Amino acid sequence: MIQATLAIIKPDATKRNIVGQILRRAEDQDLAVVAIKRLHLTKKQAAGFYSVHRNKSFFDDLTDFMSEGPIVVVVLRGEGSIRKWRDLMGATDPVKASPGTIRALFGESIERNSTHGSDSPESACFEIGYFFSGLDLVK
Ligand code: UDP
Ligand code: MG
């Protein structure tokens, strides 16, 4: 099924100028960039995005991290894009991520793990809508 997912290049990765290297991995697997922008979130905006995690112990640190510098938010469209992008990223903790995955290659820690990807069609819908309007998605 052709679907869309939200990917984020996190502040640890934008700082190291590896946006292109990361997005190339998506394009190489037939995921198309149909919307993209760079922005610097406030802590409140980061908290709104990650509201499902608001009761977790790591929430305060996570929202500090996600607002410490620029991010690049991207809508990736293609066959099974939600699963495919998460497979390309690898496990949340770079130490546990399979060799060759984005987080294994570039992640600095379980928090500073370089990328985000939606985990379900419902979260993709919320997350894409958090950053983009329908008119921004150009197929
Ligand atoms: N995170 C963290 N500590 C943890 C778990 C997660 O700092 O113990 C951060 C990490 O940046 C992760 C984000 O919170 O990517 C969201 O966590 P989630 O469990 O949704 O992982 P993901 O879906 O990103 O793999
Ligand atoms: Mg998640």
mmCIF file with all atom_site columns, all heavy atoms in Angstrom, residues 10 50 53 56 58 62 65-66 86 89-92 103 110-113 115-117 119, ligand 1:
data_model
loop_
_atom_site.group_PDB
_atom_site.id
_atom_site.type_symbol
_atom_site.label_atom_id
_atom_site.label_alt_id
_atom_site.label_comp_id
_atom_site.label_asym_id
_atom_site.label_entity_id
_atom_site.label_seq_id
_atom_site.pdbx_PDB_ins_code
_atom_site.Cartn_x
_atom_site.Cartn_y
_atom_site.Cartn_z
_atom_site.occupancy
_atom_site.B_iso_or_equiv
_atom_site.pdbx_formal_charge
_atom_site.auth_seq_id
_atom_site.auth_comp_id
_atom_site.auth_asym_id
_atom_site.auth_atom_id
_atom_site.pdbx_PDB_model_num
ATOM   1   N N   . LYS A 1 10  ? 16.836 14.948 13.330 1.00 0.00 ? 10  LYS A N   1
ATOM   2   C CA  . LYS A 1 10  ? 16.869 15.603 14.641 1.00 0.00 ? 10  LYS A CA  1
ATOM   3   C C   . LYS A 1 10  ? 18.084 16.547 14.777 1.00 0.00 ? 10  LYS A C   1
ATOM   4   O O   . LYS A 1 10  ? 19.013 16.499 13.961 1.00 0.00 ? 10  LYS A O   1
ATOM   5   C CB  . LYS A 1 10  ? 16.888 14.523 15.732 1.00 0.00 ? 10  LYS A CB  1
ATOM   6   C CG  . LYS A 1 10  ? 15.583 13.690 15.780 1.00 0.00 ? 10  LYS A CG  1
ATOM   7   C CD  . LYS A 1 10  ? 15.610 12.675 16.919 1.00 0.00 ? 10  LYS A CD  1
ATOM   8   C CE  . LYS A 1 10  ? 14.283 11.926 17.021 1.00 0.00 ? 10  LYS A CE  1
ATOM   9   N NZ  . LYS A 1 10  ? 14.281 10.943 18.154 1.00 0.00 ? 10  LYS A NZ  1
ATOM   10  N N   . TYR A 1 50  ? 5.436  15.517 20.754 1.00 0.00 ? 50  TYR A N   1
ATOM   11  C CA  . TYR A 1 50  ? 5.701  14.269 21.491 1.00 0.00 ? 50  TYR A CA  1
ATOM   12  C C   . TYR A 1 50  ? 4.712  14.068 22.644 1.00 0.00 ? 50  TYR A C   1
ATOM   13  O O   . TYR A 1 50  ? 5.046  13.396 23.614 1.00 0.00 ? 50  TYR A O   1
ATOM   14  C CB  . TYR A 1 50  ? 7.135  14.280 22.019 1.00 0.00 ? 50  TYR A CB  1
ATOM   15  C CG  . TYR A 1 50  ? 8.173  13.772 21.034 1.00 0.00 ? 50  TYR A CG  1
ATOM   16  C CD1 . TYR A 1 50  ? 9.252  14.557 20.647 1.00 0.00 ? 50  TYR A CD1 1
ATOM   17  C CD2 . TYR A 1 50  ? 8.099  12.477 20.509 1.00 0.00 ? 50  TYR A CD2 1
ATOM   18  C CE1 . TYR A 1 50  ? 10.225 14.082 19.763 1.00 0.00 ? 50  TYR A CE1 1
ATOM   19  C CE2 . TYR A 1 50  ? 9.061  11.993 19.624 1.00 0.00 ? 50  TYR A CE2 1
ATOM   20  C CZ  . TYR A 1 50  ? 10.115 12.799 19.258 1.00 0.00 ? 50  TYR A CZ  1
ATOM   21  O OH  . TYR A 1 50  ? 11.077 12.317 18.387 1.00 0.00 ? 50  TYR A OH  1
ATOM   22  N N   . HIS A 1 53  ? 4.227  10.994 24.779 1.00 0.00 ? 53  HIS A N   1
ATOM   23  C CA  . HIS A 1 53  ? 5.259  10.608 25.753 1.00 0.00 ? 53  HIS A CA  1
ATOM   24  C C   . HIS A 1 53  ? 5.272  11.516 26.985 1.00 0.00 ? 53  HIS A C   1
ATOM   25  O O   . HIS A 1 53  ? 6.219  11.479 27.768 1.00 0.00 ? 53  HIS A O   1
ATOM   26  C CB  . HIS A 1 53  ? 6.641  10.653 25.094 1.00 0.00 ? 53  HIS A CB  1
ATOM   27  C CG  . HIS A 1 53  ? 6.855  9.606  24.046 1.00 0.00 ? 53  HIS A CG  1
ATOM   28  N ND1 . HIS A 1 53  ? 6.532  8.287  24.226 1.00 0.00 ? 53  HIS A ND1 1
ATOM   29  C CD2 . HIS A 1 53  ? 7.361  9.680  22.777 1.00 0.00 ? 53  HIS A CD2 1
ATOM   30  C CE1 . HIS A 1 53  ? 6.831  7.593  23.143 1.00 0.00 ? 53  HIS A CE1 1
ATOM   31  N NE2 . HIS A 1 53  ? 7.323  8.414  22.240 1.00 0.00 ? 53  HIS A NE2 1
ATOM   32  N N   . LYS A 1 56  ? 6.373  10.162 30.337 1.00 0.00 ? 56  LYS A N   1
ATOM   33  C CA  . LYS A 1 56  ? 7.599  9.359  30.415 1.00 0.00 ? 56  LYS A CA  1
ATOM   34  C C   . LYS A 1 56  ? 8.712  10.134 31.123 1.00 0.00 ? 56  LYS A C   1
ATOM   35  O O   . LYS A 1 56  ? 8.770  11.368 31.074 1.00 0.00 ? 56  LYS A O   1
ATOM   36  C CB  . LYS A 1 56  ? 8.096  8.994  29.007 1.00 0.00 ? 56  LYS A CB  1
ATOM   37  C CG  . LYS A 1 56  ? 7.086  8.285  28.137 1.00 0.00 ? 56  LYS A CG  1
ATOM   38  C CD  . LYS A 1 56  ? 7.158  6.782  28.336 1.00 0.00 ? 56  LYS A CD  1
ATOM   39  C CE  . LYS A 1 56  ? 6.068  6.064  27.552 1.00 0.00 ? 56  LYS A CE  1
ATOM   40  N NZ  . LYS A 1 56  ? 6.125  6.296  26.123 1.00 0.00 ? 56  LYS A NZ  1
ATOM   41  N N   . PHE A 1 58  ? 11.702 10.420 30.289 1.00 0.00 ? 58  PHE A N   1
ATOM   42  C CA  . PHE A 1 58  ? 12.631 11.097 29.367 1.00 0.00 ? 58  PHE A CA  1
ATOM   43  C C   . PHE A 1 58  ? 12.015 12.307 28.667 1.00 0.00 ? 58  PHE A C   1
ATOM   44  O O   . PHE A 1 58  ? 12.679 12.962 27.862 1.00 0.00 ? 58  PHE A O   1
ATOM   45  C CB  . PHE A 1 58  ? 13.176 10.102 28.322 1.00 0.00 ? 58  PHE A CB  1
ATOM   46  C CG  . PHE A 1 58  ? 12.128 9.392  27.480 1.00 0.00 ? 58  PHE A CG  1
ATOM   47  C CD1 . PHE A 1 58  ? 11.535 10.012 26.383 1.00 0.00 ? 58  PHE A CD1 1
ATOM   48  C CD2 . PHE A 1 58  ? 11.754 8.087  27.771 1.00 0.00 ? 58  PHE A CD2 1
ATOM   49  C CE1 . PHE A 1 58  ? 10.587 9.371  25.606 1.00 0.00 ? 58  PHE A CE1 1
ATOM   50  C CE2 . PHE A 1 58  ? 10.798 7.421  26.985 1.00 0.00 ? 58  PHE A CE2 1
ATOM   51  C CZ  . PHE A 1 58  ? 10.218 8.072  25.906 1.00 0.00 ? 58  PHE A CZ  1
ATOM   52  N N   . LEU A 1 62  ? 13.919 15.049 26.380 1.00 0.00 ? 62  LEU A N   1
ATOM   53  C CA  . LEU A 1 62  ? 13.630 14.886 24.951 1.00 0.00 ? 62  LEU A CA  1
ATOM   54  C C   . LEU A 1 62  ? 13.179 16.208 24.328 1.00 0.00 ? 62  LEU A C   1
ATOM   55  O O   . LEU A 1 62  ? 13.629 16.581 23.234 1.00 0.00 ? 62  LEU A O   1
ATOM   56  C CB  . LEU A 1 62  ? 12.552 13.811 24.757 1.00 0.00 ? 62  LEU A CB  1
ATOM   57  C CG  . LEU A 1 62  ? 12.021 13.626 23.335 1.00 0.00 ? 62  LEU A CG  1
ATOM   58  C CD1 . LEU A 1 62  ? 13.130 13.183 22.381 1.00 0.00 ? 62  LEU A CD1 1
ATOM   59  C CD2 . LEU A 1 62  ? 10.881 12.598 23.330 1.00 0.00 ? 62  LEU A CD2 1
ATOM   60  N N   . PHE A 1 65  ? 16.089 18.569 24.031 1.00 0.00 ? 65  PHE A N   1
ATOM   61  C CA  . PHE A 1 65  ? 16.918 18.155 22.888 1.00 0.00 ? 65  PHE A CA  1
ATOM   62  C C   . PHE A 1 65  ? 16.280 18.554 21.555 1.00 0.00 ? 65  PHE A C   1
ATOM   63  O O   . PHE A 1 65  ? 16.943 19.149 20.683 1.00 0.00 ? 65  PHE A O   1
ATOM   64  C CB  . PHE A 1 65  ? 17.141 16.638 22.946 1.00 0.00 ? 65  PHE A CB  1
ATOM   65  C CG  . PHE A 1 65  ? 17.603 16.019 21.663 1.00 0.00 ? 65  PHE A CG  1
ATOM   66  C CD1 . PHE A 1 65  ? 18.732 16.492 20.990 1.00 0.00 ? 65  PHE A CD1 1
ATOM   67  C CD2 . PHE A 1 65  ? 16.911 14.953 21.102 1.00 0.00 ? 65  PHE A CD2 1
ATOM   68  C CE1 . PHE A 1 65  ? 19.153 15.911 19.787 1.00 0.00 ? 65  PHE A CE1 1
ATOM   69  C CE2 . PHE A 1 65  ? 17.321 14.378 19.910 1.00 0.00 ? 65  PHE A CE2 1
ATOM   70  C CZ  . PHE A 1 65  ? 18.438 14.860 19.246 1.00 0.00 ? 65  PHE A CZ  1
ATOM   71  N N   . MET A 1 66  ? 14.979 18.279 21.401 1.00 0.00 ? 66  MET A N   1
ATOM   72  C CA  . MET A 1 66  ? 14.325 18.540 20.114 1.00 0.00 ? 66  MET A CA  1
ATOM   73  C C   . MET A 1 66  ? 14.174 20.030 19.813 1.00 0.00 ? 66  MET A C   1
ATOM   74  O O   . MET A 1 66  ? 13.891 20.401 18.672 1.00 0.00 ? 66  MET A O   1
ATOM   75  C CB  . MET A 1 66  ? 12.963 17.838 20.057 1.00 0.00 ? 66  MET A CB  1
ATOM   76  C CG  . MET A 1 66  ? 13.061 16.328 19.963 1.00 0.00 ? 66  MET A CG  1
ATOM   77  S SD  . MET A 1 66  ? 13.931 15.724 18.479 1.00 0.00 ? 66  MET A SD  1
ATOM   78  C CE  . MET A 1 66  ? 12.725 16.103 17.203 1.00 0.00 ? 66  MET A CE  1
ATOM   79  N N   . ARG A 1 86  ? 11.032 3.029  9.291  1.00 0.00 ? 86  ARG A N   1
ATOM   80  C CA  . ARG A 1 86  ? 11.448 2.580  10.626 1.00 0.00 ? 86  ARG A CA  1
ATOM   81  C C   . ARG A 1 86  ? 12.530 1.504  10.517 1.00 0.00 ? 86  ARG A C   1
ATOM   82  O O   . ARG A 1 86  ? 13.459 1.464  11.327 1.00 0.00 ? 86  ARG A O   1
ATOM   83  C CB  . ARG A 1 86  ? 10.247 2.113  11.453 1.00 0.00 ? 86  ARG A CB  1
ATOM   84  C CG  . ARG A 1 86  ? 9.416  3.314  11.943 1.00 0.00 ? 86  ARG A CG  1
ATOM   85  C CD  . ARG A 1 86  ? 8.379  2.947  12.974 1.00 0.00 ? 86  ARG A CD  1
ATOM   86  N NE  . ARG A 1 86  ? 8.910  2.503  14.243 1.00 0.00 ? 86  ARG A NE  1
ATOM   87  C CZ  . ARG A 1 86  ? 9.174  3.304  15.296 1.00 0.00 ? 86  ARG A CZ  1
ATOM   88  N NH1 . ARG A 1 86  ? 8.978  4.612  15.218 1.00 0.00 ? 86  ARG A NH1 1
ATOM   89  N NH2 . ARG A 1 86  ? 9.619  2.788  16.427 1.00 0.00 ? 86  ARG A NH2 1
ATOM   90  N N   . MET A 1 89  ? 15.745 3.261  9.835  1.00 0.00 ? 89  MET A N   1
ATOM   91  C CA  . MET A 1 89  ? 16.279 3.942  11.018 1.00 0.00 ? 89  MET A CA  1
ATOM   92  C C   . MET A 1 89  ? 16.934 2.970  11.976 1.00 0.00 ? 89  MET A C   1
ATOM   93  O O   . MET A 1 89  ? 17.955 3.277  12.578 1.00 0.00 ? 89  MET A O   1
ATOM   94  C CB  . MET A 1 89  ? 15.152 4.652  11.788 1.00 0.00 ? 89  MET A CB  1
ATOM   95  C CG  . MET A 1 89  ? 14.571 5.859  11.102 1.00 0.00 ? 89  MET A CG  1
ATOM   96  S SD  . MET A 1 89  ? 13.618 6.859  12.271 1.00 0.00 ? 89  MET A SD  1
ATOM   97  C CE  . MET A 1 89  ? 12.394 5.707  12.859 1.00 0.00 ? 89  MET A CE  1
ATOM   98  N N   . GLY A 1 90  ? 16.308 1.809  12.196 1.00 0.00 ? 90  GLY A N   1
ATOM   99  C CA  . GLY A 1 90  ? 16.793 0.862  13.195 1.00 0.00 ? 90  GLY A CA  1
ATOM   100 C C   . GLY A 1 90  ? 16.214 1.160  14.567 1.00 0.00 ? 90  GLY A C   1
ATOM   101 O O   . GLY A 1 90  ? 15.433 2.099  14.750 1.00 0.00 ? 90  GLY A O   1
ATOM   102 N N   . ALA A 1 91  ? 16.623 0.372  15.555 1.00 0.00 ? 91  ALA A N   1
ATOM   103 C CA  . ALA A 1 91  ? 16.070 0.474  16.908 1.00 0.00 ? 91  ALA A CA  1
ATOM   104 C C   . ALA A 1 91  ? 16.357 1.848  17.522 1.00 0.00 ? 91  ALA A C   1
ATOM   105 O O   . ALA A 1 91  ? 17.337 2.510  17.172 1.00 0.00 ? 91  ALA A O   1
ATOM   106 C CB  . ALA A 1 91  ? 16.648 -0.623 17.787 1.00 0.00 ? 91  ALA A CB  1
ATOM   107 N N   . THR A 1 92  ? 15.493 2.229  18.474 1.00 0.00 ? 92  THR A N   1
ATOM   108 C CA  . THR A 1 92  ? 15.598 3.537  19.137 1.00 0.00 ? 92  THR A CA  1
ATOM   109 C C   . THR A 1 92  ? 17.006 3.771  19.707 1.00 0.00 ? 92  THR A C   1
ATOM   110 O O   . THR A 1 92  ? 17.564 4.866  19.557 1.00 0.00 ? 92  THR A O   1
ATOM   111 C CB  . THR A 1 92  ? 14.559 3.615  20.285 1.00 0.00 ? 92  THR A CB  1
ATOM   112 O OG1 . THR A 1 92  ? 13.272 3.278  19.763 1.00 0.00 ? 92  THR A OG1 1
ATOM   113 C CG2 . THR A 1 92  ? 14.515 5.002  20.889 1.00 0.00 ? 92  THR A CG2 1
ATOM   114 N N   . ARG A 1 103 ? 20.381 4.811  12.628 1.00 0.00 ? 103 ARG A N   1
ATOM   115 C CA  . ARG A 1 103 ? 20.707 5.077  14.034 1.00 0.00 ? 103 ARG A CA  1
ATOM   116 C C   . ARG A 1 103 ? 22.007 4.386  14.443 1.00 0.00 ? 103 ARG A C   1
ATOM   117 O O   . ARG A 1 103 ? 22.772 4.929  15.243 1.00 0.00 ? 103 ARG A O   1
ATOM   118 C CB  . ARG A 1 103 ? 19.543 4.681  14.914 1.00 0.00 ? 103 ARG A CB  1
ATOM   119 C CG  . ARG A 1 103 ? 18.406 5.725  14.830 1.00 0.00 ? 103 ARG A CG  1
ATOM   120 C CD  . ARG A 1 103 ? 17.113 5.179  15.354 1.00 0.00 ? 103 ARG A CD  1
ATOM   121 N NE  . ARG A 1 103 ? 16.149 6.219  15.690 1.00 0.00 ? 103 ARG A NE  1
ATOM   122 C CZ  . ARG A 1 103 ? 14.900 5.957  16.072 1.00 0.00 ? 103 ARG A CZ  1
ATOM   123 N NH1 . ARG A 1 103 ? 14.477 4.702  16.154 1.00 0.00 ? 103 ARG A NH1 1
ATOM   124 N NH2 . ARG A 1 103 ? 14.080 6.937  16.361 1.00 0.00 ? 103 ARG A NH2 1
ATOM   125 N N   . ILE A 1 110 ? 20.679 6.945  23.000 1.00 0.00 ? 110 ILE A N   1
ATOM   126 C CA  . ILE A 1 110 ? 19.247 6.590  22.868 1.00 0.00 ? 110 ILE A CA  1
ATOM   127 C C   . ILE A 1 110 ? 18.408 7.845  22.650 1.00 0.00 ? 110 ILE A C   1
ATOM   128 O O   . ILE A 1 110 ? 17.389 7.799  21.966 1.00 0.00 ? 110 ILE A O   1
ATOM   129 C CB  . ILE A 1 110 ? 18.760 5.760  24.073 1.00 0.00 ? 110 ILE A CB  1
ATOM   130 C CG1 . ILE A 1 110 ? 17.350 5.197  23.804 1.00 0.00 ? 110 ILE A CG1 1
ATOM   131 C CG2 . ILE A 1 110 ? 18.798 6.559  25.361 1.00 0.00 ? 110 ILE A CG2 1
ATOM   132 C CD1 . ILE A 1 110 ? 16.897 4.142  24.783 1.00 0.00 ? 110 ILE A CD1 1
ATOM   133 N N   . GLU A 1 111 ? 18.820 8.969  23.217 1.00 0.00 ? 111 GLU A N   1
ATOM   134 C CA  . GLU A 1 111 ? 18.070 10.214 23.003 1.00 0.00 ? 111 GLU A CA  1
ATOM   135 C C   . GLU A 1 111 ? 18.479 10.880 21.691 1.00 0.00 ? 111 GLU A C   1
ATOM   136 O O   . GLU A 1 111 ? 17.625 11.198 20.854 1.00 0.00 ? 111 GLU A O   1
ATOM   137 C CB  . GLU A 1 111 ? 18.316 11.187 24.159 1.00 0.00 ? 111 GLU A CB  1
ATOM   138 C CG  . GLU A 1 111 ? 17.606 12.517 23.956 1.00 0.00 ? 111 GLU A CG  1
ATOM   139 C CD  . GLU A 1 111 ? 17.883 13.471 25.104 1.00 0.00 ? 111 GLU A CD  1
ATOM   140 O OE1 . GLU A 1 111 ? 18.938 14.148 25.085 1.00 0.00 ? 111 GLU A OE1 1
ATOM   141 O OE2 . GLU A 1 111 ? 17.058 13.523 26.019 1.00 0.00 ? 111 GLU A OE2 1
ATOM   142 N N   . ARG A 1 112 ? 19.750 11.051 21.502 1.00 0.00 ? 112 ARG A N   1
ATOM   143 C CA  . ARG A 1 112 ? 20.281 11.777 20.327 1.00 0.00 ? 112 ARG A CA  1
ATOM   144 C C   . ARG A 1 112 ? 20.499 10.761 19.201 1.00 0.00 ? 112 ARG A C   1
ATOM   145 O O   . ARG A 1 112 ? 21.633 10.477 18.806 1.00 0.00 ? 112 ARG A O   1
ATOM   146 C CB  . ARG A 1 112 ? 21.571 12.510 20.704 1.00 0.00 ? 112 ARG A CB  1
ATOM   147 C CG  . ARG A 1 112 ? 21.379 13.449 21.912 1.00 0.00 ? 112 ARG A CG  1
ATOM   148 C CD  . ARG A 1 112 ? 22.669 14.083 22.375 1.00 0.00 ? 112 ARG A CD  1
ATOM   149 N NE  . ARG A 1 112 ? 23.139 15.067 21.412 1.00 0.00 ? 112 ARG A NE  1
ATOM   150 C CZ  . ARG A 1 112 ? 22.732 16.329 21.365 1.00 0.00 ? 112 ARG A CZ  1
ATOM   151 N NH1 . ARG A 1 112 ? 21.843 16.774 22.233 1.00 0.00 ? 112 ARG A NH1 1
ATOM   152 N NH2 . ARG A 1 112 ? 23.210 17.145 20.468 1.00 0.00 ? 112 ARG A NH2 1
ATOM   153 N N   . ASN A 1 113 ? 19.348 10.252 18.699 1.00 0.00 ? 113 ASN A N   1
ATOM   154 C CA  . ASN A 1 113 ? 19.415 9.132  17.762 1.00 0.00 ? 113 ASN A CA  1
ATOM   155 C C   . ASN A 1 113 ? 19.112 9.540  16.311 1.00 0.00 ? 113 ASN A C   1
ATOM   156 O O   . ASN A 1 113 ? 18.677 8.717  15.498 1.00 0.00 ? 113 ASN A O   1
ATOM   157 C CB  . ASN A 1 113 ? 18.505 7.993  18.238 1.00 0.00 ? 113 ASN A CB  1
ATOM   158 C CG  . ASN A 1 113 ? 17.066 8.435  18.399 1.00 0.00 ? 113 ASN A CG  1
ATOM   159 O OD1 . ASN A 1 113 ? 16.704 9.563  18.065 1.00 0.00 ? 113 ASN A OD1 1
ATOM   160 N ND2 . ASN A 1 113 ? 16.227 7.539  18.887 1.00 0.00 ? 113 ASN A ND2 1
ATOM   161 N N   . THR A 1 115 ? 17.155 10.518 14.066 1.00 0.00 ? 115 THR A N   1
ATOM   162 C CA  . THR A 1 115 ? 15.943 10.540 13.233 1.00 0.00 ? 115 THR A CA  1
ATOM   163 C C   . THR A 1 115 ? 14.707 10.130 14.019 1.00 0.00 ? 115 THR A C   1
ATOM   164 O O   . THR A 1 115 ? 14.784 9.422  15.027 1.00 0.00 ? 115 THR A O   1
ATOM   165 C CB  . THR A 1 115 ? 16.068 9.562  12.031 1.00 0.00 ? 115 THR A CB  1
ATOM   166 O OG1 . THR A 1 115 ? 16.502 8.300  12.511 1.00 0.00 ? 115 THR A OG1 1
ATOM   167 C CG2 . THR A 1 115 ? 17.007 10.085 10.971 1.00 0.00 ? 115 THR A CG2 1
ATOM   168 N N   . HIS A 1 116 ? 13.569 10.545 13.488 1.00 0.00 ? 116 HIS A N   1
ATOM   169 C CA  . HIS A 1 116 ? 12.244 10.113 13.955 1.00 0.00 ? 116 HIS A CA  1
ATOM   170 C C   . HIS A 1 116 ? 11.496 9.495  12.784 1.00 0.00 ? 116 HIS A C   1
ATOM   171 O O   . HIS A 1 116 ? 11.681 9.907  11.635 1.00 0.00 ? 116 HIS A O   1
ATOM   172 C CB  . HIS A 1 116 ? 11.438 11.326 14.460 1.00 0.00 ? 116 HIS A CB  1
ATOM   173 C CG  . HIS A 1 116 ? 9.978  11.011 14.662 1.00 0.00 ? 116 HIS A CG  1
ATOM   174 N ND1 . HIS A 1 116 ? 9.504  10.432 15.817 1.00 0.00 ? 116 HIS A ND1 1
ATOM   175 C CD2 . HIS A 1 116 ? 8.911  11.129 13.824 1.00 0.00 ? 116 HIS A CD2 1
ATOM   176 C CE1 . HIS A 1 116 ? 8.190  10.229 15.678 1.00 0.00 ? 116 HIS A CE1 1
ATOM   177 N NE2 . HIS A 1 116 ? 7.815  10.651 14.490 1.00 0.00 ? 116 HIS A NE2 1
ATOM   178 N N   . GLY A 1 117 ? 10.608 8.553  13.084 1.00 0.00 ? 117 GLY A N   1
ATOM   179 C CA  . GLY A 1 117 ? 9.676  8.042  12.074 1.00 0.00 ? 117 GLY A CA  1
ATOM   180 C C   . GLY A 1 117 ? 8.356  7.666  12.720 1.00 0.00 ? 117 GLY A C   1
ATOM   181 O O   . GLY A 1 117 ? 8.341  7.111  13.834 1.00 0.00 ? 117 GLY A O   1
ATOM   182 N N   . ASP A 1 119 ? 5.061  5.674  13.778 1.00 0.00 ? 119 ASP A N   1
ATOM   183 C CA  . ASP A 1 119 ? 5.002  4.237  14.070 1.00 0.00 ? 119 ASP A CA  1
ATOM   184 C C   . ASP A 1 119 ? 3.694  3.561  13.665 1.00 0.00 ? 119 ASP A C   1
ATOM   185 O O   . ASP A 1 119 ? 3.534  2.358  13.878 1.00 0.00 ? 119 ASP A O   1
ATOM   186 C CB  . ASP A 1 119 ? 5.311  3.973  15.553 1.00 0.00 ? 119 ASP A CB  1
ATOM   187 C CG  . ASP A 1 119 ? 4.270  4.554  16.489 1.00 0.00 ? 119 ASP A CG  1
ATOM   188 O OD1 . ASP A 1 119 ? 3.255  5.113  16.007 1.00 0.00 ? 119 ASP A OD1 1
ATOM   189 O OD2 . ASP A 1 119 ? 4.473  4.464  17.721 1.00 0.00 ? 119 ASP A OD2 1
HETATM 190 N N1  . UDP B 2 .   ? 13.964 8.470  24.025 1.00 0.00 ? 1   UDP B N1  1
HETATM 191 C C1  . UDP B 2 .   ? 14.852 8.698  25.068 1.00 0.00 ? 1   UDP B C1  1
HETATM 192 N N2  . UDP B 2 .   ? 14.974 7.731  26.042 1.00 0.00 ? 1   UDP B N2  1
HETATM 193 C C2  . UDP B 2 .   ? 14.279 6.568  26.016 1.00 0.00 ? 1   UDP B C2  1
HETATM 194 C C3  . UDP B 2 .   ? 13.381 6.345  24.957 1.00 0.00 ? 1   UDP B C3  1
HETATM 195 C C4  . UDP B 2 .   ? 13.244 7.307  23.983 1.00 0.00 ? 1   UDP B C4  1
HETATM 196 O O1  . UDP B 2 .   ? 15.484 9.740  25.130 1.00 0.00 ? 1   UDP B O1  1
HETATM 197 O O2  . UDP B 2 .   ? 14.447 5.726  26.926 1.00 0.00 ? 1   UDP B O2  1
HETATM 198 C C5  . UDP B 2 .   ? 13.802 9.495  22.978 1.00 0.00 ? 1   UDP B C5  1
HETATM 199 C C6  . UDP B 2 .   ? 14.459 9.119  21.640 1.00 0.00 ? 1   UDP B C6  1
HETATM 200 O O3  . UDP B 2 .   ? 14.939 10.319 21.026 1.00 0.00 ? 1   UDP B O3  1
HETATM 201 C C7  . UDP B 2 .   ? 13.295 8.514  20.886 1.00 0.00 ? 1   UDP B C7  1
HETATM 202 C C8  . UDP B 2 .   ? 12.139 9.423  21.327 1.00 0.00 ? 1   UDP B C8  1
HETATM 203 O O4  . UDP B 2 .   ? 12.415 9.664  22.702 1.00 0.00 ? 1   UDP B O4  1
HETATM 204 O O5  . UDP B 2 .   ? 13.527 8.525  19.486 1.00 0.00 ? 1   UDP B O5  1
HETATM 205 C C9  . UDP B 2 .   ? 10.754 8.820  21.184 1.00 0.00 ? 1   UDP B C9  1
HETATM 206 O O6  . UDP B 2 .   ? 10.733 7.559  21.821 1.00 0.00 ? 1   UDP B O6  1
HETATM 207 P P1  . UDP B 2 .   ? 10.032 6.307  21.149 1.00 0.00 ? 1   UDP B P1  1
HETATM 208 O O7  . UDP B 2 .   ? 9.912  5.248  22.184 1.00 0.00 ? 1   UDP B O7  1
HETATM 209 O O8  . UDP B 2 .   ? 8.788  6.734  20.438 1.00 0.00 ? 1   UDP B O8  1
HETATM 210 O O9  . UDP B 2 .   ? 11.138 5.811  20.080 1.00 0.00 ? 1   UDP B O9  1
HETATM 211 P P2  . UDP B 2 .   ? 11.144 5.871  18.470 1.00 0.00 ? 1   UDP B P2  1
HETATM 212 O O10 . UDP B 2 .   ? 9.733  5.651  17.997 1.00 0.00 ? 1   UDP B O10 1
HETATM 213 O O11 . UDP B 2 .   ? 11.708 7.218  18.088 1.00 0.00 ? 1   UDP B O11 1
HETATM 214 O O12 . UDP B 2 .   ? 12.072 4.747  18.072 1.00 0.00 ? 1   UDP B O12 1
#
